[in-house]
Amino acid sequence: MVEISTSQIRDEDRECPLSTAVQHVGEWWKLLLLHDAFDGFTKFDEFQQNLNISSSILTSRLKELVADDLLERRQYQEHPPRFEYVLTDLGRSLRPVIVALAAWGNQQLKPDERCMILVDAETNTEVDPVMVDRTTGRRVDGPAFVFTAGPAASEAMQARYATGPLEA
């Protein structure tokens, strides 16, 4: 992994919601652990077996996900003590992000090359997820929606968008 010095990070990127999100879930194992949690895995051994991940890496990533309030560590057995890891409300709120990432990945593949697809649980029919604006119902992946500085933007973020929203 390439290390980035904090002096190389622009001020506006330090406050950017995208960089904040990536800081918490942008690492390979964390995304895979969250995906497994959405599939119902909760126990250390289940994660380890399914992902073929070392104990030390798994322990570290689970601790980080718990510290970030994405997973909650709960004891389910007293003797010997055993714990499970369950999604918190904050963790569950990441499901659309995981779905969108998987859909984007599948778009890069031919249909017969995809090893996992999203289906309607009732009809078992494949679905094509898209992100839409809650108010208008319009897709947000086109040029009609752009980023601009928000009310809490620093001077650096305001300067980035000083000429108005950037075009997509």
Side-chain angles (χ1 to χ4, degrees):
M1 181 187 323
V2 175
E3 291 291 325
I4 297 175
S5 164
T6 55
S7 64
Q8 294 174 300
I9 300 172
R10 302 174 307 173
D11 287 341
E12 63 266 31
D13 291 331
R14 293 177 197 276
E15 67 181 299
C16 174
L18 180 58
S19 63
T20 301
V22 169
Q23 174 186 340
H24 295 287
V25 297
E27 195 265 337
W28 163 278
W29 289 116
K30 288 181 182 181
L31 285 172
L32 295 178
L33 285 164
L34 288 167
H35 176 252
D36 276 6
F38 286 119
D39 280 350
F41 294 90
T42 62
K43 297 182 176 64
F44 189 96
D45 293 343
E46 294 171 335
F47 290 122
Q48 188 172 34
Q49 183 177 9
N50 190 54
L51 295 174
N52 195 25
I53 183 174
S54 74
S55 302
S56 60
I57 292 174
L58 178 55
T59 298
S60 171
R61 296 318 181 269
L62 287 171
K63 283 181 181 179
E64 291 168 6
L65 290 168
V66 168
D68 289 339
D69 195 32
L70 300 173
L71 294 177
E72 179 183 343
R73 184 175 185 245
R74 292 185 191 159
Q75 188 169 359
Y76 69 90
Q77 179 179 310
E78 286 191 34
H79 302 290
R82 299 263 189 234
F83 297 87
E84 64 180 349
Y85 298 86
V86 296
L87 290 160
T88 62
D89 289 342
L90 185 62
R92 280 189 293 280
S93 73
L94 280 168
R95 190 167 199 289
V97 175
I98 303 292
V99 167
L101 282 170
W104 181 85
N106 273 341
Q107 289 173 355
Q108 312 316 306
L109 301 171
K110 295 176 186 170
D112 64 339
E113 294 175 335
R114 298 177 296 156
C115 66
M116 176 184 75
I117 59 173
L118 187 66
V119 298
D120 181 304
E122 291 182 19
T123 66
N124 206 36
T125 304
E126 185 174 354
V127 297
D128 183 20
V130 296
M131 188 175 294
V132 298
D133 172 54
R134 184 185 313 270
T135 304
T136 65
R138 293 176 20 216
R139 290 178 63 136
V140 299
D141 59 351
F145 295 91
V146 295
F147 290 105
T148 191
S154 67
E155 287 183 24
M157 187 65 81
Q158 290 174 20
R160 175 183 174 134
Y161 294 107
T163 59
L166 296 178
E167 296 296 321

